[in-house]
Amino acid sequence: MPSSEDLFKQIIAHAKEYGYIFPSSEIYDGLSAVYDYGQYGVELKNNIKQYWWRAMVQYHENIVGIDSAIFMHPTIWKASGHVDAFNDPLIDNKDSKKRYRADVLIEDFIQKLEEKIEKEIEKAKKKFENFDEEFFCKTNPNILRNKEKIDSVNNRFAALMNETDLAGIKSLIEELEIACPVSGTKNWTDVRQFNLMFATQMGSVAEGADTIYLRPETAQGIFVNFLNVYKTGRMKIPFGIAQIGKAFRNEIVARQFIFRMREFEQMEMQFFVRPGEEIKWFEYWKTERKKWHLSLGISENDYRFHDHDKLAHYANAATDIEFRFPFGFKELEGIHSRTDFDLSQHEQYSGKKLRYFDPETNESYVPFVIETSIGVDRMFLAVLSHAYTEESLPDGSTRVVLKIPAQIAPIKAAVLPLVKKDGLPEKAREIVEILKPKMMCQYDEKDAIGRRYRRQDAIGTPYCITVDNQTLEDDTVTIRERDSMLQKRVVIGEILRELC
C-alpha cells in the first residue's frame, strides 16, 4: 500500500493524465497555485455545484440564490474587516529564503503527532484480534502523551492568535523545534502579518483610478443584497440566500494541489434568523450539511467536526466539517454563527438601514446569520481522493478506477460497439442519441473492449453499455457496472430506467 504522500502524487498524476486538472499556463511553465479544469474535471465540478444547489435552493422554499459581482465597492471590505484584519502570520527561514505561514507550520507539527497516533493504532489492530480502540487509546502512554501535547499546542496557539501575539507565535515555533522543510534549519525571522486581498485599480487612467479588490469571499455580496432579496422576494424569517462564485486570495504558501489556491470557487449560504435563535439554527445546519456529504456515499469515518478554539471576530459559534484527505484531516466546510456583525457593519458604513420587520413580533431588527461555506475545489479534491482506487483482480491483473458517486460522475455512461463493423457502430450511435438528452454519455470504439472498460474505469464512468451481434437480433445490450464489474442484458428501451 503506497504512503499517503505517494498516494497523493498518484492522484495528482491521474487527474492530469485523464483530463481532470491541468497546471494553468503549462506551456509557459505554469503559474504557481493556479489550475485549469479539463474536459472531465469541468463536468465533475459542475455536477458538484448542481448537487449542492439542488440541496440548498431547489429543495428549500425559504432559500433563494443570487450571483453577485466579483468587483464591489471598496468600502465593503473596510466594513467587513478585511482591509484591517484579513491577514496571515508569515515567517521566513533565513537559510532557505523560503516563506511559510506560521499557522501552517504548527498545523503540520500537530498532524505529525496525529499520524504517530494513527500508526500506533494500526500496529495494535494487526497485533490483537479483539482490538478495543477506545480502551487502547486511554491506556497507551505514547498516545496519551501525544494527545496531551496536541491539546496543549492547540490551546496555546489559539490564545496567541486571539491576542495577535506574533512574538509568542515565533517562540512557540522555536520551542517546538520546527525546522524548515527545505533547509532543515530552525533559523527563523520574526513573524509578521500579510494581507491576503488582491488589489487593483478601476478607472481609465492610473492617476485617477480607485483602488478596489478582487473579492476574498462571496459572503459580502450576499449581505449587501440582503435588503434587495428580502423585499423583492417577499422573504420571511428564517430565510437563506445562496451563492456560488469565484474568490481570490493572495496565498503566499499555496500548496497541496487544489486544496489551497489563489483563485478558487465557493458555495455559500447565509441563513437569516431571529436574534436569540441562532444557536438552534447553527446546530440544525451542522446536521443538514453532514447529511449532504454522507448522501454521496462516502464513509462517515472520513468526516469529523472540529469546533473552533479561536472564534473569528464576528462569530459566537463555529465548526468545520473536516475530511480525511491523503495528507490528513483538513477543513472542507465551515459552519459559523456570524451574529448580526455583517449587516450591522454595513448599516454603519453605508448609512442604510438593513433591518427586517417581523410581523409576528411586530418589531424591526438586524437579523442574525448562520453561514455554511464550502470550497468547490476542496470538495472536488475530496471526491477525487475518495474515488481513486487501485484494485487487484482475480485474474492477477490490476486496475485503477475512480469510484465517483454516480450522481455526480462526469460521464454517466459509455456506449461501446464490440467491433467497428457489421452495423454495430450505427446501432451504438442510436443509443447515444437516446441517452444524450438525459445524461452526459460518451461513444468509444477504439481498442479492444477490455481496454475500453479500463479506460472508462479510470475516467470514473459508472456504466458501460456494450453493443454486440445479439443486439442486432433482439435489441438487448450488456450493461457493465463500474464498481462490481457485473454485467447484465437489458432491452434498449429499458436502459434509461436502469441507469437513472
Side-chain angles (χ1 to χ4, degrees):
M1 187 175 181
S3 67
S4 296
E5 185 177 346
D6 289 339
L7 174 61
F8 193 38
K9 288 178 180 177
Q10 290 169 8
I11 292 170
I12 295 170
H14 190 91
K16 182 182 179 185
E17 182 179 358
Y18 286 93
Y20 275 87
I21 299 175
F22 308 129
S24 182
S25 315
E26 187 177 19
I27 63 171
Y28 292 98
D29 297 324
L31 186 62
S32 176
V34 184
Y35 293 90
D36 299 331
Y37 285 81
Q39 65 273 26
Y40 299 120
V42 70
E43 294 295 337
L44 175 56
K45 192 177 187 185
N46 286 337
N47 290 347
I48 289 170
K49 290 189 284 187
Q50 289 165 11
Y51 195 69
W52 181 88
W53 193 264
R54 283 196 299 270
M56 280 299 192
V57 179
Q58 186 173 334
Y59 296 164
H60 288 90
E61 293 183 10
N62 62 339
I63 299 177
V64 297
I66 66 167
D67 183 8
S68 66
I70 288 173
F71 292 127
M72 294 192 284
H73 196 286
T75 307
I76 287 173
W77 305 112
K78 185 72 175 175
S80 67
H82 283 80
V83 171
D84 298 320
F86 193 55
N87 304 302
D88 273 343
L90 300 185
I91 191 169
D92 294 278
N93 182 265
K94 296 177 183 178
D95 299 315
S96 67
K97 311 300 181 187
K98 293 291 184 180
R99 180 167 293 171
Y100 300 92
R101 278 177 50 176
D103 58 327
V104 170
L105 288 175
I106 294 171
E107 284 175 10
D108 287 347
F109 176 85
I110 292 170
Q111 184 179 323
K112 288 175 182 176
L113 293 178
E114 290 175 340
E115 288 172 357
K116 286 181 180 179
I117 293 172
E118 288 290 331
K119 286 179 181 177
E120 289 269 4
I121 294 171
E122 289 302 316
K123 185 179 176 182
K125 280 181 179 178
K126 293 176 182 177
K127 187 176 180 181
F128 302 106
E129 186 174 345
N130 297 317
F131 179 67
D132 186 335
E133 184 174 327
E134 184 177 353
F135 177 78
F136 180 75
C137 290
K138 286 181 178 178
T139 56
N140 183 285
N142 290 333
I143 289 180
L144 291 172
R145 188 161 46 248
N146 284 327
K147 281 192 171 183
E148 185 179 341
K149 189 157 192 176
I150 288 171
D151 290 340
S152 172
V153 173
N154 270 327
N155 292 335
R156 289 177 60 192
F157 182 60
L160 292 169
M161 288 290 286
N162 197 41
E163 297 166 6
T164 320
D165 185 351
L166 302 183
I169 293 172
K170 181 187 179 184
S171 296
L172 179 59
I173 289 172
E174 291 174 335
E175 181 185 327
L176 297 174
E177 298 185 337
I178 295 175
C180 169
V182 176
S183 69
T185 68
K186 308 176 186 71
N187 192 12
W188 298 107
T189 65
D190 291 335
V191 178
R192 61 207 178 283
Q193 296 281 37
F194 176 81
N195 194 281
L196 298 178
M197 285 197 295
F198 282 105
T200 187
Q201 282 75 42
M202 179 177 283
S204 56
V205 293
E207 292 80 8
D210 292 323
T211 297
I212 61 171
Y213 302 96
L214 295 179
R215 66 182 182 194
E217 64 175 28
T218 58
Q220 299 307 319
I222 293 176
F223 295 129
V224 298
N225 277 295
F226 163 77
L227 212 57
N228 290 330
V229 174
Y230 157 47
K231 288 184 175 180
T232 61
R234 299 187 298 169
M235 307 302 292
K236 182 180 178 182
I237 276 196
F239 71 88
I241 303 175
Q243 178 171 214
I244 300 175
K246 292 270 190 172
F248 308 84
R249 295 180 184 178
N250 191 13
E251 296 276 5
I252 291 299
V253 191
R255 58 176 195 157
Q256 293 168 326
F257 195 31
I258 59 171
F259 181 81
R260 183 174 280 116
M261 299 191 294
R262 294 185 172 93
E263 174 187 342
F264 57 97
E265 204 161 4
Q266 290 180 301
M267 302 184 291
E268 292 197 330
M269 193 276 296
Q270 308 297 331
F271 197 70
F272 300 91
V273 303
R274 286 194 183 107
E277 296 185 356
E278 69 275 9
I279 300 303
K280 175 186 77 173
W281 287 108
F282 173 76
E283 294 297 332
Y284 170 84
W285 282 110
K286 277 178 64 176
T287 302
E288 286 299 300
R289 293 307 302 147
K290 183 76 173 292
K291 286 180 184 176
W292 181 84
H293 286 281
L294 296 180
S295 71
L296 288 168
I298 300 174
S299 170
E300 188 168 5
N301 294 330
D302 289 327
Y303 293 97
R304 72 182 185 189
F305 282 115
H306 173 70
D307 294 327
H308 286 211
D309 296 312
K310 174 186 179 293
L311 292 175
H313 60 279
Y314 52 75
N316 65 355
T319 193
D320 293 334
I321 296 178
E322 295 185 335
F323 181 80
R324 190 199 303 269
F325 292 97
F327 41 86
F329 273 102
K330 296 290 182 182
E331 178 190 353
L332 178 59
E333 176 166 5
I335 303 165
H336 309 103
S337 174
R338 299 181 71 118
T339 68
D340 62 351
F341 172 82
D342 299 279
L343 293 180
S344 295
Q345 286 291 104
H346 290 305
E347 263 201 352
Q348 178 185 336
Y349 278 81
S350 69
K352 306 293 194 302
K353 291 289 184 183
L354 300 179
R355 302 290 174 110
Y356 172 81
F357 178 75
D358 195 327
E360 293 184 15
T361 62
N362 202 34
E363 60 179 335
S364 180
Y365 53 78
V366 178
F368 276 45
V369 178
I370 306 302
E371 171 186 75
T372 73
S373 176
I374 178 171
V376 179
D377 310 276
R378 289 189 180 187
M379 188 64 204
F380 186 106
L381 184 56
V383 170
L384 208 60
S385 299
H386 162 76
Y388 183 85
T389 309
E390 297 179 2
E391 290 183 343
S392 297
L393 302 179
D395 63 2
S397 63
T398 60
R399 71 166 182 159
V400 174
V401 54
L402 289 184
K403 295 185 177 182
I404 298 172
Q407 57 266 53
I408 58 172
I411 304 297
K412 187 71 171 286
V415 184
L416 319 172
L418 189 62
V419 293
K420 292 190 290 184
K421 59 181 181 179
D422 301 332
L424 299 187
E426 290 78 8
K427 192 67 174 178
R429 289 288 186 185
E430 290 177 15
I431 295 171
V432 170
E433 292 303 313
I434 293 172
L435 299 180
K436 275 200 300 189
K438 299 293 184 181
M439 66 186 68
M440 286 297 297
C441 57
Q442 188 174 83
Y443 174 85
D444 189 1
E445 63 178 21
K446 185 180 178 182
D447 295 326
I449 192 68
R451 284 177 176 266
R452 282 180 275 169
Y453 282 156
R454 290 292 177 269
R455 185 157 59 237
Q456 294 300 329
D457 288 344
I459 291 168
T461 306
Y463 302 102
C464 287
I465 301 167
T466 304
V467 177
D468 54 23
N469 289 322
Q470 187 179 336
T471 307
L472 303 180
E473 297 171 5
D474 61 11
D475 251 13
T476 65
V477 295
T478 298
I479 296 182
R480 173 188 180 269
E481 199 272 330
R482 176 195 65 204
D483 297 348
S484 66
M485 296 188 290
L486 294 176
Q487 302 184 16
K488 64 186 294 188
R489 297 295 295 191
V490 175
V491 177
I492 289 175
E494 296 294 317
I495 293 176
L496 279 173
R497 183 181 299 175
E498 193 72 27
L499 302 189
C500 293

